Amino acid sequence: MRIIAPSFQILDQFDQQNLAVRIEYCGRICYKSEDRITQESALPFVEKMAEHGHNSVLEMGVVTLELCADHKALADLFLRQPKYLHISREENLLLITASIRAWRELLVNHPDCTLVHAACAFLHERHPYFFSTLLPEGGLKTVPGISVRKVPLAEVERLPADKLAKHRHIAVKFIVNRAVTHELVRHRPCSFLQESQRYCRYSEDKFGSEVTFIKPMFWPEESEEYAVWQQAMEETERLYFKLLETSTAQAARTVLPNSCKTEIIVYANLEEWRHIFKLRCSKAAEPSMREVMVPLREEFARRFPAVFAFS
């Protein structure tokens, strides 16, 4: 078996990549199939996700649009009570940040909404693989009287602090134990993709033919308690491999404990990250959560001081 320390990585290297590349990387975390990523693999992967309705993967692609329309069109959008859109309004101008999943579901549920149609037509022209299976009769066309513009990331980052917090999204990959991820996935509104014990078979070569555990921060390595924990993990690995001889990974995983290493990507806007830090960095938070969240909060405060002003 293998024992590693918990860690995190801010995935800002994908902020300048196209949506398909970003979505593929995040989606492959679930099956630990990053070794299949090539220069040509992103589009087929995303097309397959869209075709089969794997919408959680499509949440990892977020875009900010500026839409200008008359008050009737704006009112029509708000009457639909759109979900998962982050909206700032100034007169007849909307700044909307939303995931590809959000736009797809709006198109399915409200195809007659002119603003939804205009935004999806704009996105479809640039990323047809997201909407090819959802096209209404007659296709998606520009709507007279409604202008749509993609807002570049550099422009988003120049927004005032309140709008920056709403429209700037950040993805973080955590390598932690499963007790930590059980708490992370309770947060709303966030998007999550997590390594799947149902599909990952840890006896395979790509996992080193071993189960990886996260080192607990509760006991020193030389303590009796740590020795007990280590012995329990060794026995767990033995039993897991024994079950794999006759069972599927999804059956054998039932013996795996909270200490198992897992990877999870959490994607949220700065406003939600601020809330997460408030809860998960407090002295009352679970110590293993604080172990990763406190240094992550410091990194966010360094990058976005206008949004994260901590005492």
Side-chain angles (χ1 to χ4, degrees):
M1 73 177 199
R2 185 179 177 215
I3 301 173
I4 64 171
S7 62
F8 62 82
Q9 178 189 3
I10 298 175
L11 299 179
D12 49 6
Q13 72 269 32
F14 293 102
D15 286 343
Q16 303 298 335
Q17 299 275 8
N18 68 50
L19 291 174
V21 169
R22 180 189 191 93
I23 289 172
E24 182 193 21
Y25 174 82
C26 296
R28 289 195 180 278
I29 287 291
C30 301
Y31 308 99
K32 295 305 297 169
S33 60
E34 297 98 322
D35 57 318
R36 298 185 183 180
I37 294 177
T38 68
Q39 290 185 337
E40 293 80 32
S41 61
L43 287 183
F45 179 88
V46 170
E47 287 173 344
K48 184 177 180 181
M49 294 299 104
E51 179 183 354
H52 292 281
H54 293 316
N55 288 328
S56 61
V57 179
L58 300 180
E59 291 178 21
M60 292 293 158
V62 165
V63 63
T64 300
L65 301 178
E66 182 186 81
L67 295 96
C68 184
D70 59 31
H71 290 285
K72 181 179 179 181
L74 299 182
D76 181 46
L77 174 68
F78 289 120
L79 285 173
R80 311 298 177 121
Q81 297 182 326
K83 297 188 297 181
Y84 313 123
L85 304 189
H86 300 280
I87 303 175
S88 298
R89 179 181 179 182
E90 292 184 10
E91 297 298 329
N92 64 335
L93 198 66
L94 295 183
L95 194 65
I96 301 179
T97 300
S99 70
I100 295 301
R101 175 181 185 170
W103 286 117
R104 279 169 51 92
E105 292 186 356
L106 278 170
L107 182 62
V108 169
N109 296 322
H110 305 287
D112 57 331
C113 178
T114 55
L115 264 176
V116 170
H117 189 103
C120 290
F122 178 88
L123 292 170
H124 176 66
E125 182 180 355
R126 290 152 181 79
H127 309 281
Y129 37 87
F130 289 133
F131 298 93
S132 59
T133 61
L134 304 177
L135 293 179
E137 187 175 348
L140 287 167
K141 301 176 182 177
T142 57
V143 178
I146 298 179
S147 66
V148 184
R149 179 179 73 90
K150 182 181 183 298
V151 181
L153 179 61
E155 188 174 333
V156 172
E157 294 199 329
R158 291 195 298 269
L159 291 171
D162 58 332
K163 291 183 180 179
L164 177 65
K166 181 182 290 188
H167 295 284
R168 181 63 163 105
H169 282 61
I170 295 289
V172 179
K173 182 174 79 171
F174 293 93
I175 300 179
V176 289
N177 67 47
R178 283 190 165 259
V180 170
T181 62
H182 292 340
E183 295 191 7
L184 275 176
V185 297
R186 294 174 60 193
H187 285 280
R188 303 290 184 274
C190 298
S191 298
F192 306 98
L193 288 177
Q194 184 172 359
E195 176 182 339
S196 173
Q197 290 180 339
R198 182 184 179 194
Y199 295 105
C200 293
R201 195 178 184 93
Y202 297 119
S203 59
E204 294 178 351
D205 290 342
K206 70 177 180 178
F207 298 107
S209 301
E210 60 185 353
V211 179
T212 300
F213 300 98
I214 295 295
K215 181 181 179 181
M217 47 80 64
F218 299 100
W219 314 291
E221 285 189 48
E222 65 276 9
S223 68
E224 181 180 350
E225 292 86 353
Y226 188 90
V228 170
W229 172 83
Q230 187 169 351
Q231 183 180 5
M233 298 307 102
E234 290 170 351
E235 179 65 6
T236 293
E237 183 186 57
R238 185 188 70 79
L239 294 172
Y240 172 74
F241 286 152
K242 179 65 176 177
L243 287 173
L244 284 180
E245 294 175 6
T246 57
S247 308
T248 61
Q250 67 179 349
R253 68 174 174 164
T254 55
V255 301
L256 294 176
N258 277 340
S259 287
C260 271
K261 162 263 180 186
T262 187
E263 298 182 21
I264 186 170
I265 294 176
V266 183
Y267 198 23
N269 66 6
L270 298 181
E271 191 171 61
E272 181 59 24
W273 278 115
R274 189 166 54 191
H275 173 68
I276 291 171
F277 294 143
K278 181 179 179 180
L279 293 181
R280 303 304 180 182
C281 294
S282 76
K283 292 181 179 180
E286 204 274 342
S288 298
M289 179 72 80
R290 281 178 49 85
E291 188 177 16
V292 289
M293 282 298 177
V294 170
L296 179 61
R297 178 184 66 175
E298 293 172 356
E299 181 61 24
F300 270 65
R302 185 185 68 80
R303 297 188 184 201
F304 303 101
V307 177
F308 298 93
F310 300 108
S311 57

